[in-house]
Amino acid sequence: MEVDLENVSTTIAHVENCTHGETEGPVVNLSPHFVIDQKNETLDQSFSWMDQVKYIRETSKLPEPERPKGIQGPIILDAYNELGGVSNATEMWKIIKKGWSLRENGQAELSQKTLSGYSRYGYEDEIKLENILYDFLAQMLMPRKMQLFYDGLEFIKQARETNGEEFFRFREFYVNEIRSDNLRRYLEILSEYFKGYSEYDQAILYVKNGAPVPDGCIATSSGFKTTKMFYGNAFEHYTSNISTLACINNILNGRKFDQFKNMDLKKYLTINKANRANPIKENQLLSGFCNCLDSTLRNSSHHGALILVKKRRYIEYRSGGTGAKREMPYSMYIEMCNDIALTSFALLMLELVIGL
């Protein structure tokens, strides 16, 4: 369907597997950027996305868009972009990933040439991987998920003010000992996430705006083969990298960065990853970095116990592969995948700041 926004009209193009027909067929409502109310799934002349835009605006208390000055009559707005959607996210990521990989392989000059292509999306700062990555991640988090990053910045500031000498001792340890492994894990999270981005895009605006996916709403695409392992894999990488915040939290609590309340860093790095976030849960600025963690879902994923059921609308899973049977809508599953992905992005932004 070709859409003419200027004249507010459409024409139908018959692509390779379509022909013109006169017979009325079943109605199937699809939405690439929003979930839809299940009762509207086969309803003719249904525009469920409009209801979803209104719901996100009201839930996140977003102001109504301002009318451009000097414009009279009807105006056309892209609700996806207005709510923080990044239309060219996959194309932007391809440039970043290629430039990142080239740099890792020692091809610095070719990496810079590749990264310069990012400027086509309005980027005007220095052509440097860290700067471009920071810009991209900020776009992915805006508008409301950026608060995670802001809270993390305030937390780092407080730790540095508490004991600047110990903070810079940690920074030296971070840069020399753990930064490389952490960045490798972030690259894996980002790469897997964008392989299935068209699936996650159905629920990302809800997470970006702090509006839970409404009950009774479904994702109209269920490419579970692409998303099945993402949550579990992201959980593993994220809970490894969260040690960065845990170490800084030690400083804020008056200890050496590598000394926890009941153990040292060496011991901490051996504990179950589901417990790695425990040291930061009580810090109000960091609690948001723990909300994305569901160890039951992670365990089920890694034991191959996630399956798609009920006309591909629900996820069935068991803790550890043998525990009690649980269910959640697939729309909620991709919402959780977005949550842990975007939380990982906020943590990566903080690590880019630490590594400056």
Side-chain angles (χ1 to χ4, degrees):
M1 185 172 68
E2 305 290 345
V3 180
D4 182 344
L5 292 177
E6 184 175 345
N7 297 303
V8 195
S9 62
T10 62
T11 56
I12 302 298
H14 299 117
V15 294
E16 61 186 22
N17 61 342
C18 296
T19 58
H20 180 75
E22 300 293 343
T23 304
E24 180 71 19
V27 172
V28 180
N29 285 304
L30 305 174
S31 182
H33 302 313
F34 300 91
V35 297
I36 71 172
D37 192 320
Q38 189 164 7
K39 66 176 181 285
N40 296 335
E41 185 180 10
T42 59
L43 188 65
D44 199 3
Q45 300 185 38
S46 170
F47 301 94
S48 182
W49 68 269
M50 293 183 177
D51 295 329
Q52 296 302 311
V53 169
K54 181 180 179 182
Y55 162 77
I56 293 174
R57 280 182 182 153
E58 291 178 348
T59 303
S60 58
K61 296 181 172 57
L62 291 175
E64 287 293 323
E66 294 184 9
R67 172 180 288 276
K69 292 182 180 179
I71 301 297
Q72 302 297 323
I75 59 173
I76 297 175
L77 297 175
D78 188 326
Y80 179 71
N81 291 336
E82 178 202 338
L83 295 175
V86 183
S87 299
N88 298 314
T90 52
E91 290 79 10
M92 295 163 79
W93 168 244
K94 286 176 183 177
I95 292 173
I96 295 171
K97 182 181 179 182
K98 185 176 180 181
W100 193 341
S101 299
L102 287 168
R103 194 180 78 168
E104 290 297 299
N105 291 325
Q107 300 184 57
E109 186 175 340
L110 191 53
S111 172
Q112 286 295 101
K113 183 178 180 181
T114 299
L115 291 172
S116 66
Y118 188 78
S119 62
R120 77 183 66 149
Y121 302 109
Y123 179 79
E124 297 178 347
D125 293 335
E126 180 185 1
I127 302 300
K128 182 180 178 182
L129 175 61
E130 287 77 8
N131 294 11
I132 290 174
L133 187 55
Y134 183 96
D135 177 80
F136 175 68
L137 296 173
Q139 291 184 60
M140 294 303 298
L141 292 175
M142 290 179 183
R144 298 296 171 84
K145 206 65 172 175
M146 272 295 287
Q147 189 60 46
L148 269 179
F149 173 68
Y150 296 141
D151 288 345
L153 275 183
E154 177 60 27
F155 163 74
I156 291 172
K157 177 184 176 183
Q158 291 180 10
R160 190 171 60 233
E161 291 175 348
T162 297
N163 189 335
E165 182 179 347
E166 186 62 18
F167 178 83
F168 286 105
R169 193 171 79 90
F170 164 72
R171 183 187 176 281
E172 183 178 4
F173 169 80
Y174 167 79
V175 170
N176 294 329
E177 301 294 335
I178 64 176
R179 185 173 186 266
S180 179
D181 284 341
N182 281 13
L183 289 177
R184 173 185 54 77
R185 284 188 282 262
Y186 287 123
L187 178 56
E188 291 184 15
I189 291 174
L190 281 155
S191 297
E192 186 174 353
Y193 180 70
F194 280 101
K195 279 182 181 178
Y197 187 67
S198 61
E199 288 291 302
Y200 306 124
D201 195 20
Q202 298 173 100
I204 192 172
L205 294 184
Y206 302 86
V207 180
K208 285 166 70 79
N209 287 284
V213 169
D215 292 339
C217 287
I218 60 171
T220 55
S221 173
S222 52
F224 189 50
K225 184 177 180 180
T226 304
T227 64
K228 182 176 182 178
M229 295 300 295
F230 177 75
Y231 184 86
N233 291 338
F235 186 104
E236 289 295 294
H237 295 318
Y238 175 70
T239 50
S240 291
N241 290 0
I242 208 170
S243 61
T244 300
L245 296 181
C247 286
I248 298 175
N249 190 58
N250 288 333
I251 301 171
L252 195 59
N253 283 283
R255 298 187 295 268
K256 300 292 186 182
F257 79 82
D258 52 359
Q259 184 58 55
F260 292 80
K261 187 175 182 180
N262 298 312
M263 66 186 80
D264 59 16
L265 179 58
K266 185 176 180 180
K267 176 65 176 177
Y268 168 83
L269 294 175
T270 68
I271 66 174
N272 190 303
K273 289 186 177 179
N275 297 323
R276 300 275 180 94
N278 288 347
I280 68 171
K281 283 182 177 179
E282 300 305 316
N283 187 302
Q284 188 174 358
L285 290 171
L286 298 183
S287 59
F289 285 91
C290 307
N291 295 338
C292 63
L293 299 176
D294 185 325
S295 57
T296 299
L297 185 60
R298 174 267 174 199
N299 292 341
S300 187
S301 172
H302 276 261
H303 285 86
L306 282 180
I307 59 174
L308 204 57
V309 296
K310 296 183 178 179
K311 297 182 179 180
R312 303 180 65 80
R313 299 304 190 203
Y314 282 81
I315 297 290
E316 182 180 286
Y317 63 106
R318 299 174 184 269
S319 178
T322 58
K325 185 186 297 184
R326 305 187 185 194
E327 277 188 357
M328 74 167 63
Y330 180 69
S331 57
M332 181 182 292
Y333 174 72
I334 58 173
E335 177 185 17
M336 293 179 68
C337 288
N338 276 308
D339 198 11
I340 197 167
L342 296 186
T343 304
S344 298
F345 299 170
L347 182 55
L348 172 52
M349 287 181 70
L350 290 175
E351 291 201 30
L352 292 175
V353 171
I354 293 169
L356 289 177

